[in-house]
């Protein structure tokens, strides 16, 4: 698969919130390019705009100013329905609080995006959902409901759900925020494997420096702006020669 | 999202809270089943009244003095009895002026105490001519009818209704026995067959010659021709000529009463069809009333559905957020909630029709407070009730569904 355009290209993206008479600038003129095969950590203090950025990248929210190209297409001015279509076909979102449907089985949860994407019969949906669950190592947990799974397992179901539509881009907003160290490591190595082995582009918001350095590129936010953008220690220690690594010239 | 998926998703959501869905459904079941049962009872009453009136014969036309509207006093007179006379009745049998009239049977009424041995009872009696039985579709069980000779002779003879006979004479055959009416001695010459089941029951009555009623019991005076009658029972020559006969009766009576072109009739003519229509009209109102009461319970059921759907939208805010985040459009969310509401009301409708049908079916022929209930189940009503229950689901489901669809996905995901 060749990609001419970057996965993500933000130009002057701004997101303002009106709170009473006050205007809060959650994102303040962000320029950011992320290429295929990158694995990027977004860090920064609380309230710096990380989640707002992820919601924008995930097409759950639209910028108040600036332009957002996803896979080379301008999506900043799309309608609600068009954004829903992109969510169901082009990207996977992993949440801090898993956000699984509590009454459905793991398999049904993973199957859900395909129902809205349309064009898959029941059999095709099940096969894709099983494959996604197998990929995250949950081949023995198809019929478990979320309460019957550990936090780490629930988050892996969440990752399988993001994978099921086979997107190029996976967005994860503090995916390990609710997990203990052991489960966190599992989830992160899962995401790394998806990047290393499957070539998925991955963006992770995290407060944990260990996790940030386990990615390939670390982007730091403060007050709605990017204040740092550098290769991770992992990349620096092993050299930039990895096949799926970031292209050179991506630092500030 | 296709219809099949929508359907299974909605069914799954309802299934995850079965008790709540069942209770909501119950409201609709009660509403729909009461509509079905009420309509069946209402229509049953309508049909049975019509059937009973038809038993009297559809050729019967009743002429009463005065321009009053329809009255139901079959065995009691009233009104201004001066207007219709005995000779008016016989003028209606004129072959030239009233060719479609087969016979005319005038009647008079009286009331008083009837006494036989130690038994006595109060009766509303009828003074009649020989034609009365035929006109009223009555039959003699034993003895004989009042004859026209009895009428001419002002005889003190009586024909008893079956119940009157039983009250005065018990199980004995009263024919040939004597009895007293208002203190005068009468001979019983016959007993009527029981007509139980018809709404104008002659069983409690007592018949005497029309002249006897006027001169002996009502202390009337004057020549026999001018003897007032309380009504004239006319039989047309056939069901098809009832309207012609009616016109002829009107012409003859207007001529005889010397009414000018602008004068109103001083008599009223009622055909059985009129009676049926009037009764059906009142019954129709009754059916509408029953239907509306039942409809209100359906409305209450619908409000229950809306209430539950609103609660459900709030409770499932997060679910809505998740669905939206993985690609559901507003329309998908809206359709899901509307489908849930309609599934509930349609399910309730189906069960309600079944329940209402069962109530009507097993209630048919039951006796409530001495009245036999008859029910008529109409398929149209059942189909209509189903249609209405779907409409109720749509109507009361749409607002909660719009609320659900308009939630912002990010905020919905933050919802606890
Ligand atoms: N819906 C909203 N309405 C008003 N203000 C908002 C809204 N969403 C975010 N903000 C504001 O925007 C700023 C950035 O919020 P954001 O959630 O992106 O921070 P964050 O970097 O994800 O923080 P954390 O690490 O605590 O998750 C904050 O000041 C927040 O108060
Ligand atoms: Mg955040």
């Amino acid at each position: 698969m060749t990609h001419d355009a970057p996965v993500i290209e933000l130009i002057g993206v701004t997101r303002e919130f009106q709170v009473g008479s006050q205007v809060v600038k959650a994102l303040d003129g962000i320029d950011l390019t992320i290429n295929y095969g990158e694995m990027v950590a977004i860090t920064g203090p609380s309230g710096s705009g990380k989640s707002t950025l992820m919601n924008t990248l995930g097409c759950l929210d639209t910028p108040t100013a600036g332009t957002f190209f996803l896979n080379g297409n301008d999506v900043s001015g799309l309608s609600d329905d068009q954004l829903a279509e992109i969510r169901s076909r082009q990207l996977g979102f992993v949440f801090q609080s898993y956000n699984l449907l509590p009454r459905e089985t793991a398999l049904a949860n993973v199957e859900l995006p395909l129902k809205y994407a349309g064009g898959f019969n029941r059999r095709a949906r099940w096969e894709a959902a099983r494959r996604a669950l197998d990929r995250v190592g949950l081949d023995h947990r198809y019929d478990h409901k979320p309460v019957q799974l550990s936090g780490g397992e629930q988050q892996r179901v969440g990752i399988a759900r993001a994978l099921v539509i086979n997107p190029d881009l996976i967005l994860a907003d503090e995916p390990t925020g609710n997990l203990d160290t052991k489960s966190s490591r599992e989830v992160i190595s899962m995401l790394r494997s998806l990047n290393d082995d499957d070539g998925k582009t991955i963006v992770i918001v995290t407060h944990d420096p260990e996790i940030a350095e386990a990615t390939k590129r670390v982007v730091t936010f403060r007050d709605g702006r990017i204040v740092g953008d550098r290769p991770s220690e992992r990349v620096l220690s092993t050299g930039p020669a990895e096949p799926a690594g970031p292209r050179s010239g991506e630092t500030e | 999202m296709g219809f099949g998926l929508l359907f299974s998703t909605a069914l799954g959501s309802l299934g995850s809270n079965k008790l709540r869905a069942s209770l909501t459904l119950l409201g609709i079941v009660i509403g729909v089943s009461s509509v079905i049962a009420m309509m069946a009872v209402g229509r049953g009453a309508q049909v049975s009244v019509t059937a009973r009136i038809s038993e009297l014969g559809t050729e019967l036309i009743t002429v009463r003095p005065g321009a009053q509207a329809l009255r139901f006093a079959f065995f009691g007179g009233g009104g201004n009895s001066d207007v219709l006379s005995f000779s008016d009745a016989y003028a209606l049998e004129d072959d030239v002026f009233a060719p479609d009239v087969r016979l005319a049977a005038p009647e008079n009424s009286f009331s008083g105490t009837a006494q036989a041995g130690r038994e006595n009872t109060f009766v509303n009696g009828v003074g009649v001519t020989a034609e009365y039985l035929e006109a009223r579709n009555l039959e003699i069980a034993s003895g004989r009818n009042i004859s026209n000779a009895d009428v001419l002779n002002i005889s003190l003879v009586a024909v008893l209704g079956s119940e009157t006979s039983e009250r005065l004479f018990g199980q004995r055959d009263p024919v040939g026995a004597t009895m007293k009416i208002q203190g005068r001695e009468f001979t019983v010459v016959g007993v009527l067959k029981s007509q139980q089941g018809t709404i104008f029951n002659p069983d409690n009555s007592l018949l005497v010659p029309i002249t006897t009623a006027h001169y002996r019991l009502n202390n009337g005076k004057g020549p026999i021709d001018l003897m007032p009658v309380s009504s004239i029972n006319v039989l047309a020559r056939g069901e098809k000529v009832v309207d012609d006969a009616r016109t002829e009766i009107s012409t003859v009576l207007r001529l005889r009463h010397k009414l000018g072109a602008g004068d109103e009739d001083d008599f009223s003519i009622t055909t059985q069809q009129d009676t049926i229509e009037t009764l059906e009209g009142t019954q129709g109102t009754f059916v509408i009333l029953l239907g509306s009461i039942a409809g209100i319970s359906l409305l209450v059921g619908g409000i229950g559905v809306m209430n539950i759907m609103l609660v459900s939208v709030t409770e499932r805010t997060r679910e809505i957020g998740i669905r939206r985040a993985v690609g559901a459009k507003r329309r998908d969310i809206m359709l899901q909630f509307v489908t849930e509401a309609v599934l509930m009301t349609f399910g309730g409708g189906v069960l309600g029709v079944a329940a209402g049908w069962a109530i009507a079916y097993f209630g048919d022929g039951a006796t409530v407070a001495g009245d036999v209930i008859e029910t008529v189940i109409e398929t149209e009503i059942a189909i209509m009730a189903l249609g209405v229950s779907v409409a109720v689901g749509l109507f009361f489901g749409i607002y909660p569904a719009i609320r659900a669809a308009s939630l912002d996905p990010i905020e919905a995901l933050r919802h606890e």
Side-chain angles (χ1 to χ4, degrees):
Chain A
M1 195 161 29
T2 58
H3 303 285
D4 302 329
V7 192
I8 288 164
E9 190 172 9
L10 300 179
I11 302 166
V13 164
T14 299
R15 179 64 168 103
E16 294 178 339
F17 292 104
Q18 184 84 39
V19 182
S21 58
Q22 224 182 334
V23 173
V24 179
K25 266 195 180 172
L27 296 178
D28 188 3
I30 300 288
D31 298 315
L32 179 67
T33 303
I34 297 175
N35 288 303
Y36 284 90
E38 282 200 80
M39 184 166 184
V40 183
I42 310 281
T43 58
S46 185
S48 58
K50 304 181 296 293
S51 292
T52 308
L53 174 78
M54 293 302 265
N55 291 338
T56 307
L57 297 181
C59 292
L60 286 161
D61 197 6
T62 45
T64 41
T67 318
F68 169 24
F69 293 97
L70 180 68
N71 296 320
N73 303 312
D74 184 0
V75 297
S76 17
L78 294 187
S79 72
D80 200 82
D81 276 4
Q82 287 168 317
L83 291 176
E85 197 124 310
I86 290 173
R87 291 198 295 272
S88 73
R89 299 204 174 141
Q90 297 185 26
L91 47 87
F93 210 114
V94 179
F95 303 90
Q96 175 176 356
S97 47
Y98 326 132
N99 279 334
L100 302 176
L101 295 179
R103 283 189 281 264
E104 305 281 1
T105 63
L107 199 66
N109 266 292
V110 173
E111 188 196 11
L112 192 64
L114 296 176
K115 289 184 174 176
Y116 292 109
F120 298 87
N121 64 28
R122 196 183 163 110
R123 205 196 162 92
R125 289 200 307 269
W126 281 357
E127 265 166 23
R130 285 204 194 95
R131 225 180 301 123
L133 280 170
D134 294 350
R135 179 68 186 81
V136 297
L138 287 178
D139 50 324
H140 55 308
R141 293 283 187 268
Y142 291 162
D143 296 323
H144 287 235
K145 302 210 167 160
V147 284
Q148 298 163 332
L149 297 170
S150 73
E153 286 172 326
Q154 288 186 58
Q155 192 56 297
R156 280 192 278 158
V157 174
I159 294 171
R161 183 179 61 191
L163 273 181
V164 75
I165 56 166
N166 198 21
D168 291 322
L169 176 63
I170 291 177
L171 304 167
D173 191 350
E174 298 191 43
T176 59
N178 289 4
L179 298 177
D180 60 26
T181 319
K182 183 170 165 282
S183 305
S184 294
R185 290 214 174 105
E186 278 170 23
V187 164
I188 292 305
S189 67
M190 187 78 255
L191 291 171
R192 268 183 67 170
S193 152
L194 287 172
N195 177 248
D196 291 341
D197 306 333
D198 300 17
K200 305 281 179 207
T201 310
I202 295 180
V203 182
I204 307 177
V205 172
T206 183
H207 286 288
D208 184 341
E210 190 190 326
I211 292 172
E213 298 312 334
T215 65
K216 294 173 178 170
R217 175 182 168 193
V218 182
V219 176
T220 310
F221 269 67
R222 178 164 297 135
D223 298 332
R225 286 174 215 227
I226 295 177
V227 294
D229 190 346
R230 59 171 175 83
S232 71
E233 280 165 16
R234 172 162 76 107
V235 172
L236 292 175
S237 60
T238 56
E242 283 183 34
R247 293 174 194 178
S248 53
E250 283 300 318
T251 46
E252 62 268 71
Chain B
M1 207 182 223
F3 184 75
L5 263 180
L6 203 63
F7 191 79
S8 64
T9 304
L11 216 57
S13 302
L14 292 178
S16 67
N17 204 333
K18 291 193 187 66
L19 180 63
R20 176 192 285 184
S22 322
L23 288 175
T24 313
L25 200 113
L26 191 62
I28 300 292
V29 171
I30 290 170
V32 170
S33 61
S34 55
V35 167
I36 300 285
M38 292 284 200
M39 293 307 254
V41 170
R43 284 293 294 143
Q46 221 169 16
V47 167
S48 72
V49 161
T50 307
R52 288 181 191 187
I53 291 170
S54 303
E55 274 170 29
L56 274 177
T58 44
E59 293 159 16
L60 179 65
I61 301 168
T62 310
V63 186
R64 289 196 183 78
Q68 309 101 315
L70 181 67
R71 280 179 295 131
F72 297 111
F74 270 71
F75 294 108
N80 182 357
S81 332
D82 293 333
V83 179
L84 280 184
S85 71
F86 193 59
S87 55
D88 281 337
Y90 285 100
L92 295 179
E93 289 191 336
D94 190 298
D95 282 342
V96 178
F97 286 101
D100 293 316
V101 169
R102 183 147 65 89
L103 63 84
E107 66 174 77
N108 244 337
S109 59
F110 65 92
S111 54
T113 322
Q115 195 184 340
R118 267 179 292 149
E119 305 295 332
N120 68 70
T121 180
F122 184 86
V123 289
N124 284 311
V126 193
V128 301
T129 62
E131 290 82 12
Y132 183 78
L133 289 196
E134 191 178 352
R136 278 310 186 79
N137 217 0
L138 301 177
E139 280 173 61
I140 290 286
S142 76
R144 66 170 180 84
N145 184 12
I146 304 279
S147 72
N148 281 331
D150 293 330
V151 174
L152 283 176
N153 297 334
I154 319 181
S155 308
L156 295 170
V157 293
V159 170
L160 306 182
S162 58
E163 216 164 286
T164 313
S165 164
E166 201 181 311
R167 246 183 289 153
L168 293 173
F169 296 98
Q171 296 306 313
R172 285 177 292 143
D173 183 0
V175 173
T178 56
M179 61 174 291
K180 283 183 173 169
I181 303 169
Q182 292 183 3
R184 284 175 188 273
E185 194 150 297
F186 279 70
T187 306
V188 178
V189 294
V191 180
L192 293 176
K193 245 190 204 163
S194 170
Q195 293 280 308
Q196 221 171 33
T198 62
I199 47 172
F200 308 112
N201 195 338
D203 294 359
N204 286 319
S205 187
L206 184 158
L207 311 181
V208 301
I210 189 167
T211 47
T212 311
H214 180 66
Y215 294 112
R216 300 283 179 261
L217 298 173
N218 288 344
N219 296 321
K221 304 262 180 305
I224 190 165
D225 280 356
L226 299 183
M227 179 175 65
V229 299
S230 55
S231 71
I232 305 171
N233 303 286
V234 178
L235 279 190
R237 285 197 190 277
E239 206 177 319
K240 292 196 182 85
V241 296
V242 166
D243 284 334
D244 295 336
R246 172 192 211 132
T247 316
E248 293 158 16
I249 293 166
S250 174
T251 312
V252 169
L253 291 179
R254 288 185 69 88
L255 274 174
R256 288 182 55 86
H257 295 182
K258 305 192 170 64
L259 298 177
D263 295 338
E264 273 188 34
D265 288 350
D266 56 0
F267 52 87
S268 66
I269 304 172
T270 312
T271 64
Q272 287 301 86
Q273 197 51 43
D274 296 337
T275 313
I276 289 171
E277 275 165 20
T278 311
L279 275 177
E280 277 186 341
T282 23
Q283 299 271 330
T285 321
F286 180 63
V287 170
I288 289 169
L289 189 76
L290 286 180
S292 327
I293 293 169
I296 288 170
S297 66
L298 189 55
L299 188 77
V300 171
I303 293 170
V305 169
M306 179 147 160
N307 189 17
I308 285 302
M309 292 311 293
L310 284 173
V311 170
S312 169
V313 169
T314 309
E315 278 183 358
R316 287 157 63 193
T317 299
R318 190 159 186 139
E319 173 194 329
I320 294 164
I322 293 170
R323 289 180 184 276
R324 294 276 280 134
V326 301
K329 301 187 170 113
R330 287 188 196 281
R331 180 170 14 109
D332 294 321
I333 300 297
M334 193 176 105
L335 284 176
Q336 181 188 337
F337 279 85
V338 168
T339 307
E340 280 178 31
V342 171
L343 270 181
M344 272 199 286
T345 58
F346 182 72
V350 170
L351 293 177
V353 166
W357 206 299
I359 291 168
Y361 182 81
F362 291 111
D364 196 18
T367 317
V368 174
D371 282 326
V372 178
I373 304 266
E374 284 182 47
T375 60
V376 172
I377 301 163
E378 283 170 326
T379 323
E380 291 91 332
I381 300 281
I383 292 170
M384 199 192 75
L386 279 183
V388 167
S389 58
V390 169
V392 163
L394 279 176
F395 184 80
F396 289 104
I398 208 113
Y399 173 68
I402 288 175
R403 285 249 303 232
S406 60
L407 288 172
D408 176 64
I410 298 170
E411 272 167 36
L413 281 172
R414 273 202 210 114
H415 193 268
E416 273 319 305

